[in-house]
Amino acid sequence: QVQLVESGGGLVQAGGSLRLSCSASGFSLDYYAIGWFRQAPGKEREGVLCISSSFVSTYYADSVKGRFAISRDNAKNTVYLQMNSLKPEDTAVYYCAIDTRCPVITTLSEYWGQGTQVTVSS
Protein backbone atom coordinates (compact mmCIF):
# COMPACT_ATOMS: atom_id res chain seq x y z
CA GLN A 1 0.00 0.00 0.00
CA VAL A 2 1.31 3.44 -0.94
CA GLN A 3 0.97 5.92 1.91
CA LEU A 4 2.26 9.35 2.91
CA VAL A 5 1.90 10.48 6.51
CA GLU A 6 2.60 14.00 7.78
CA SER A 7 3.45 14.70 11.40
CA GLY A 8 4.98 17.37 13.60
CA GLY A 9 2.29 20.01 13.50
CA GLY A 10 1.01 21.79 16.56
CA LEU A 11 0.45 25.09 18.29
CA VAL A 12 3.33 27.54 18.48
CA GLN A 13 3.74 31.22 19.28
CA ALA A 14 4.80 33.69 16.62
CA GLY A 15 8.55 33.56 16.17
CA GLY A 16 8.75 29.91 17.14
CA SER A 17 9.75 26.87 15.13
CA LEU A 18 8.31 23.54 14.06
CA ARG A 19 9.71 20.63 12.09
CA LEU A 20 7.26 18.70 9.96
CA SER A 21 7.88 15.21 8.65
CA CYS A 22 6.48 13.40 5.63
CA SER A 23 7.08 9.68 5.86
CA ALA A 24 6.43 7.25 3.04
CA SER A 25 5.51 3.61 3.26
CA GLY A 26 4.84 1.02 0.62
CA PHE A 27 7.32 2.56 -1.81
CA SER A 28 10.63 4.38 -1.93
CA LEU A 29 10.86 8.17 -2.20
CA ASP A 30 14.29 7.99 -3.81
CA TYR A 31 13.19 8.74 -7.36
CA TYR A 32 10.38 11.18 -6.68
CA ALA A 33 9.99 14.86 -6.03
CA ILE A 34 8.20 15.74 -2.79
CA GLY A 35 6.34 18.98 -2.28
CA TRP A 36 4.94 20.66 0.80
CA PHE A 37 1.65 22.49 0.41
CA ARG A 38 -0.60 24.32 2.81
CA GLN A 39 -4.22 25.35 2.98
CA ALA A 40 -5.57 27.99 5.32
CA PRO A 41 -9.28 28.17 6.14
CA GLY A 42 -11.23 29.64 3.24
CA LYS A 43 -8.18 29.82 0.98
CA GLU A 44 -6.82 27.85 -1.93
CA ARG A 45 -4.15 25.25 -1.35
CA GLU A 46 -0.77 26.71 -2.19
CA GLY A 47 2.65 25.28 -2.76
CA VAL A 48 5.33 26.06 -0.19
CA LEU A 49 8.50 24.15 -1.02
CA CYS A 50 9.50 21.20 -3.14
CA ILE A 51 12.58 19.02 -3.24
CA SER A 52 13.62 17.00 -6.26
CA SER A 53 15.01 13.51 -6.40
CA SER A 54 18.43 15.13 -6.82
CA PHE A 55 18.04 17.18 -3.61
CA VAL A 56 17.36 20.51 -5.32
CA SER A 57 14.94 22.77 -3.45
CA THR A 58 12.37 24.98 -5.13
CA TYR A 59 10.44 27.75 -3.40
CA TYR A 60 6.83 28.14 -4.47
CA ALA A 61 5.97 30.83 -1.92
CA ASP A 62 8.16 33.92 -1.56
CA SER A 63 6.73 34.50 1.89
CA VAL A 64 8.66 31.56 3.37
CA LYS A 65 12.07 32.33 1.89
CA GLY A 66 14.65 32.70 4.61
CA ARG A 67 12.36 31.04 7.14
CA PHE A 68 11.52 27.56 5.82
CA ALA A 69 13.78 24.84 4.48
CA ILE A 70 13.08 21.45 2.98
CA SER A 71 15.30 18.40 3.20
CA ARG A 72 15.10 14.69 2.58
CA ASP A 73 16.60 11.58 4.12
CA ASN A 74 16.19 8.76 1.65
CA ALA A 75 17.54 6.22 4.14
CA LYS A 76 14.59 7.05 6.39
CA ASN A 77 12.18 7.45 3.47
CA THR A 78 11.25 10.82 4.95
CA VAL A 79 11.11 14.47 3.89
CA TYR A 80 11.22 17.32 6.38
CA LEU A 81 9.99 20.89 6.46
CA GLN A 82 11.86 23.06 8.95
CA MET A 83 9.75 26.09 9.80
CA ASN A 84 11.42 28.97 11.64
CA SER A 85 10.29 32.47 12.57
CA LEU A 86 6.68 31.40 12.25
CA LYS A 87 4.00 34.00 11.67
CA PRO A 88 0.25 33.85 12.28
CA GLU A 89 -0.28 33.85 8.51
CA ASP A 90 1.55 30.51 8.36
CA THR A 91 -1.42 28.91 10.12
CA ALA A 92 -2.74 26.18 7.83
CA VAL A 93 -3.02 22.47 7.28
CA TYR A 94 0.25 21.32 5.75
CA TYR A 95 0.29 18.47 3.23
CA CYS A 96 2.96 16.59 1.37
CA ALA A 97 2.61 15.16 -2.12
CA ILE A 98 4.78 13.31 -4.60
CA ASP A 99 5.20 13.25 -8.33
CA THR A 100 7.96 12.78 -10.88
CA ARG A 101 9.21 16.40 -10.81
CA CYS A 102 8.57 19.47 -8.71
CA PRO A 103 7.02 21.53 -11.54
CA VAL A 104 4.27 18.97 -12.10
CA ILE A 105 3.15 18.49 -8.49
CA THR A 106 -0.37 19.89 -8.26
CA THR A 107 -3.58 19.18 -6.40
CA LEU A 108 -4.23 16.61 -9.13
CA SER A 109 -1.15 14.60 -8.20
CA GLU A 110 -2.10 11.10 -7.20
CA TYR A 111 -0.52 10.74 -3.77
CA TRP A 112 -1.11 13.08 -0.85
CA GLY A 113 -0.84 12.73 2.88
CA GLN A 114 -3.67 13.44 5.29
CA GLY A 115 -2.21 16.75 6.46
CA THR A 116 -0.98 18.11 9.77
CA GLN A 117 -2.32 21.25 11.44
CA VAL A 118 0.02 24.14 12.17
CA THR A 119 -1.37 26.95 14.29
CA VAL A 120 0.67 30.06 15.03
CA SER A 121 -0.63 32.38 17.72
CA SER A 122 0.07 36.10 17.94
Side-chain angles (χ1 to χ4, degrees), residues 32-43:
Y32 292 93
I34 301 93
W36 281 98
F37 295 74
R38 65 186 182 184
Q39 187 166 19
K43 295 185 177 181

mmCIF file with all atom_site columns, all heavy atoms in Angstrom, residues 32-43:
data_model
loop_
_atom_site.group_PDB
_atom_site.id
_atom_site.type_symbol
_atom_site.label_atom_id
_atom_site.label_alt_id
_atom_site.label_comp_id
_atom_site.label_asym_id
_atom_site.label_entity_id
_atom_site.label_seq_id
_atom_site.pdbx_PDB_ins_code
_atom_site.Cartn_x
_atom_site.Cartn_y
_atom_site.Cartn_z
_atom_site.occupancy
_atom_site.B_iso_or_equiv
_atom_site.pdbx_formal_charge
_atom_site.auth_seq_id
_atom_site.auth_comp_id
_atom_site.auth_asym_id
_atom_site.auth_atom_id
_atom_site.pdbx_PDB_model_num
ATOM 1  N N   . TYR A 1 32 ? 11.500  10.261 -6.564 1.00 0.00 ? 32 TYR A N   1
ATOM 2  C CA  . TYR A 1 32 ? 10.378  11.178 -6.681 1.00 0.00 ? 32 TYR A CA  1
ATOM 3  C C   . TYR A 1 32 ? 10.708  12.547 -6.122 1.00 0.00 ? 32 TYR A C   1
ATOM 4  O O   . TYR A 1 32 ? 11.556  12.705 -5.248 1.00 0.00 ? 32 TYR A O   1
ATOM 5  C CB  . TYR A 1 32 ? 9.157   10.624 -5.945 1.00 0.00 ? 32 TYR A CB  1
ATOM 6  C CG  . TYR A 1 32 ? 8.568   9.395  -6.580 1.00 0.00 ? 32 TYR A CG  1
ATOM 7  C CD1 . TYR A 1 32 ? 8.965   8.132  -6.174 1.00 0.00 ? 32 TYR A CD1 1
ATOM 8  C CD2 . TYR A 1 32 ? 7.612   9.503  -7.582 1.00 0.00 ? 32 TYR A CD2 1
ATOM 9  C CE1 . TYR A 1 32 ? 8.436   6.999  -6.752 1.00 0.00 ? 32 TYR A CE1 1
ATOM 10 C CE2 . TYR A 1 32 ? 7.070   8.373  -8.164 1.00 0.00 ? 32 TYR A CE2 1
ATOM 11 C CZ  . TYR A 1 32 ? 7.491   7.124  -7.745 1.00 0.00 ? 32 TYR A CZ  1
ATOM 12 O OH  . TYR A 1 32 ? 6.950   6.000  -8.321 1.00 0.00 ? 32 TYR A OH  1
ATOM 13 N N   . ALA A 1 33 ? 10.010  13.545 -6.640 1.00 0.00 ? 33 ALA A N   1
ATOM 14 C CA  . ALA A 1 33 ? 9.991   14.856 -6.031 1.00 0.00 ? 33 ALA A CA  1
ATOM 15 C C   . ALA A 1 33 ? 8.907   14.886 -4.958 1.00 0.00 ? 33 ALA A C   1
ATOM 16 O O   . ALA A 1 33 ? 7.863   14.248 -5.108 1.00 0.00 ? 33 ALA A O   1
ATOM 17 C CB  . ALA A 1 33 ? 9.712   15.934 -7.081 1.00 0.00 ? 33 ALA A CB  1
ATOM 18 N N   . ILE A 1 34 ? 9.164   15.616 -3.874 1.00 0.00 ? 34 ILE A N   1
ATOM 19 C CA  . ILE A 1 34 ? 8.199   15.744 -2.790 1.00 0.00 ? 34 ILE A CA  1
ATOM 20 C C   . ILE A 1 34 ? 7.956   17.220 -2.527 1.00 0.00 ? 34 ILE A C   1
ATOM 21 O O   . ILE A 1 34 ? 8.901   17.986 -2.335 1.00 0.00 ? 34 ILE A O   1
ATOM 22 C CB  . ILE A 1 34 ? 8.676   15.058 -1.498 1.00 0.00 ? 34 ILE A CB  1
ATOM 23 C CG1 . ILE A 1 34 ? 8.925   13.569 -1.731 1.00 0.00 ? 34 ILE A CG1 1
ATOM 24 C CG2 . ILE A 1 34 ? 7.635   15.235 -0.391 1.00 0.00 ? 34 ILE A CG2 1
ATOM 25 C CD1 . ILE A 1 34 ? 10.341  13.228 -2.099 1.00 0.00 ? 34 ILE A CD1 1
ATOM 26 N N   . GLY A 1 35 ? 6.705   17.602 -2.522 1.00 0.00 ? 35 GLY A N   1
ATOM 27 C CA  . GLY A 1 35 ? 6.339   18.984 -2.281 1.00 0.00 ? 35 GLY A CA  1
ATOM 28 C C   . GLY A 1 35 ? 5.534   19.143 -1.005 1.00 0.00 ? 35 GLY A C   1
ATOM 29 O O   . GLY A 1 35 ? 4.752   18.261 -0.634 1.00 0.00 ? 35 GLY A O   1
ATOM 30 N N   . TRP A 1 36 ? 5.753   20.264 -0.330 1.00 0.00 ? 36 TRP A N   1
ATOM 31 C CA  . TRP A 1 36 ? 4.939   20.655 0.805  1.00 0.00 ? 36 TRP A CA  1
ATOM 32 C C   . TRP A 1 36 ? 3.966   21.734 0.358  1.00 0.00 ? 36 TRP A C   1
ATOM 33 O O   . TRP A 1 36 ? 4.363   22.708 -0.304 1.00 0.00 ? 36 TRP A O   1
ATOM 34 C CB  . TRP A 1 36 ? 5.789   21.187 1.958  1.00 0.00 ? 36 TRP A CB  1
ATOM 35 C CG  . TRP A 1 36 ? 6.449   20.120 2.768  1.00 0.00 ? 36 TRP A CG  1
ATOM 36 C CD1 . TRP A 1 36 ? 7.726   19.675 2.660  1.00 0.00 ? 36 TRP A CD1 1
ATOM 37 C CD2 . TRP A 1 36 ? 5.852   19.370 3.827  1.00 0.00 ? 36 TRP A CD2 1
ATOM 38 N NE1 . TRP A 1 36 ? 7.970   18.693 3.578  1.00 0.00 ? 36 TRP A NE1 1
ATOM 39 C CE2 . TRP A 1 36 ? 6.828   18.484 4.318  1.00 0.00 ? 36 TRP A CE2 1
ATOM 40 C CE3 . TRP A 1 36 ? 4.589   19.357 4.416  1.00 0.00 ? 36 TRP A CE3 1
ATOM 41 C CZ2 . TRP A 1 36 ? 6.590   17.594 5.359  1.00 0.00 ? 36 TRP A CZ2 1
ATOM 42 C CZ3 . TRP A 1 36 ? 4.343   18.468 5.449  1.00 0.00 ? 36 TRP A CZ3 1
ATOM 43 C CH2 . TRP A 1 36 ? 5.337   17.600 5.905  1.00 0.00 ? 36 TRP A CH2 1
ATOM 44 N N   . PHE A 1 37 ? 2.721   21.559 0.718  1.00 0.00 ? 37 PHE A N   1
ATOM 45 C CA  . PHE A 1 37 ? 1.653   22.491 0.408  1.00 0.00 ? 37 PHE A CA  1
ATOM 46 C C   . PHE A 1 37 ? 0.922   22.848 1.683  1.00 0.00 ? 37 PHE A C   1
ATOM 47 O O   . PHE A 1 37 ? 1.021   22.148 2.680  1.00 0.00 ? 37 PHE A O   1
ATOM 48 C CB  . PHE A 1 37 ? 0.669   21.873 -0.598 1.00 0.00 ? 37 PHE A CB  1
ATOM 49 C CG  . PHE A 1 37 ? 1.262   21.609 -1.948 1.00 0.00 ? 37 PHE A CG  1
ATOM 50 C CD1 . PHE A 1 37 ? 2.132   20.548 -2.141 1.00 0.00 ? 37 PHE A CD1 1
ATOM 51 C CD2 . PHE A 1 37 ? 0.948   22.422 -3.025 1.00 0.00 ? 37 PHE A CD2 1
ATOM 52 C CE1 . PHE A 1 37 ? 2.688   20.298 -3.384 1.00 0.00 ? 37 PHE A CE1 1
ATOM 53 C CE2 . PHE A 1 37 ? 1.491   22.181 -4.277 1.00 0.00 ? 37 PHE A CE2 1
ATOM 54 C CZ  . PHE A 1 37 ? 2.364   21.117 -4.456 1.00 0.00 ? 37 PHE A CZ  1
ATOM 55 N N   . ARG A 1 38 ? 0.175   23.937 1.645  1.00 0.00 ? 38 ARG A N   1
ATOM 56 C CA  . ARG A 1 38 ? -0.605  24.316 2.810  1.00 0.00 ? 38 ARG A CA  1
ATOM 57 C C   . ARG A 1 38 ? -1.925  24.924 2.375  1.00 0.00 ? 38 ARG A C   1
ATOM 58 O O   . ARG A 1 38 ? -2.046  25.497 1.300  1.00 0.00 ? 38 ARG A O   1
ATOM 59 C CB  . ARG A 1 38 ? 0.156   25.290 3.711  1.00 0.00 ? 38 ARG A CB  1
ATOM 60 C CG  . ARG A 1 38 ? 0.447   26.646 3.091  1.00 0.00 ? 38 ARG A CG  1
ATOM 61 C CD  . ARG A 1 38 ? 1.334   27.467 4.021  1.00 0.00 ? 38 ARG A CD  1
ATOM 62 N NE  . ARG A 1 38 ? 1.607   28.790 3.485  1.00 0.00 ? 38 ARG A NE  1
ATOM 63 C CZ  . ARG A 1 38 ? 2.424   29.665 4.065  1.00 0.00 ? 38 ARG A CZ  1
ATOM 64 N NH1 . ARG A 1 38 ? 3.043   29.342 5.201  1.00 0.00 ? 38 ARG A NH1 1
ATOM 65 N NH2 . ARG A 1 38 ? 2.616   30.857 3.508  1.00 0.00 ? 38 ARG A NH2 1
ATOM 66 N N   . GLN A 1 39 ? -2.906  24.794 3.244  1.00 0.00 ? 39 GLN A N   1
ATOM 67 C CA  . GLN A 1 39 ? -4.222  25.353 2.977  1.00 0.00 ? 39 GLN A CA  1
ATOM 68 C C   . GLN A 1 39 ? -4.775  25.965 4.255  1.00 0.00 ? 39 GLN A C   1
ATOM 69 O O   . GLN A 1 39 ? -5.003  25.263 5.238  1.00 0.00 ? 39 GLN A O   1
ATOM 70 C CB  . GLN A 1 39 ? -5.180  24.290 2.446  1.00 0.00 ? 39 GLN A CB  1
ATOM 71 C CG  . GLN A 1 39 ? -6.509  24.857 1.983  1.00 0.00 ? 39 GLN A CG  1
ATOM 72 C CD  . GLN A 1 39 ? -7.301  23.866 1.155  1.00 0.00 ? 39 GLN A CD  1
ATOM 73 O OE1 . GLN A 1 39 ? -7.061  22.663 1.198  1.00 0.00 ? 39 GLN A OE1 1
ATOM 74 N NE2 . GLN A 1 39 ? -8.244  24.371 0.377  1.00 0.00 ? 39 GLN A NE2 1
ATOM 75 N N   . ALA A 1 40 ? -4.961  27.277 4.214  1.00 0.00 ? 40 ALA A N   1
ATOM 76 C CA  . ALA A 1 40 ? -5.567  27.993 5.322  1.00 0.00 ? 40 ALA A CA  1
ATOM 77 C C   . ALA A 1 40 ? -7.077  27.985 5.151  1.00 0.00 ? 40 ALA A C   1
ATOM 78 O O   . ALA A 1 40 ? -7.585  27.832 4.040  1.00 0.00 ? 40 ALA A O   1
ATOM 79 C CB  . ALA A 1 40 ? -5.043  29.426 5.378  1.00 0.00 ? 40 ALA A CB  1
ATOM 80 N N   . PRO A 1 41 ? -7.821  28.162 6.245  1.00 0.00 ? 41 PRO A N   1
ATOM 81 C CA  . PRO A 1 41 ? -9.278  28.167 6.142  1.00 0.00 ? 41 PRO A CA  1
ATOM 82 C C   . PRO A 1 41 ? -9.784  29.190 5.134  1.00 0.00 ? 41 PRO A C   1
ATOM 83 O O   . PRO A 1 41 ? -9.387  30.352 5.169  1.00 0.00 ? 41 PRO A O   1
ATOM 84 C CB  . PRO A 1 41 ? -9.734  28.518 7.562  1.00 0.00 ? 41 PRO A CB  1
ATOM 85 C CG  . PRO A 1 41 ? -8.616  28.040 8.428  1.00 0.00 ? 41 PRO A CG  1
ATOM 86 C CD  . PRO A 1 41 ? -7.368  28.306 7.632  1.00 0.00 ? 41 PRO A CD  1
ATOM 87 N N   . GLY A 1 42 ? -10.642 28.754 4.224  1.00 0.00 ? 42 GLY A N   1
ATOM 88 C CA  . GLY A 1 42 ? -11.226 29.642 3.242  1.00 0.00 ? 42 GLY A CA  1
ATOM 89 C C   . GLY A 1 42 ? -10.315 30.040 2.100  1.00 0.00 ? 42 GLY A C   1
ATOM 90 O O   . GLY A 1 42 ? -10.700 30.879 1.284  1.00 0.00 ? 42 GLY A O   1
ATOM 91 N N   . LYS A 1 43 ? -9.127  29.469 2.030  1.00 0.00 ? 43 LYS A N   1
ATOM 92 C CA  . LYS A 1 43 ? -8.182  29.822 0.982  1.00 0.00 ? 43 LYS A CA  1
ATOM 93 C C   . LYS A 1 43 ? -7.818  28.615 0.131  1.00 0.00 ? 43 LYS A C   1
ATOM 94 O O   . LYS A 1 43 ? -8.027  27.468 0.526  1.00 0.00 ? 43 LYS A O   1
ATOM 95 C CB  . LYS A 1 43 ? -6.912  30.434 1.588  1.00 0.00 ? 43 LYS A CB  1
ATOM 96 C CG  . LYS A 1 43 ? -7.128  31.759 2.301  1.00 0.00 ? 43 LYS A CG  1
ATOM 97 C CD  . LYS A 1 43 ? -5.818  32.357 2.755  1.00 0.00 ? 43 LYS A CD  1
ATOM 98 C CE  . LYS A 1 43 ? -6.023  33.706 3.403  1.00 0.00 ? 43 LYS A CE  1
ATOM 99 N NZ  . LYS A 1 43 ? -4.733  34.312 3.829  1.00 0.00 ? 43 LYS A NZ  1
#
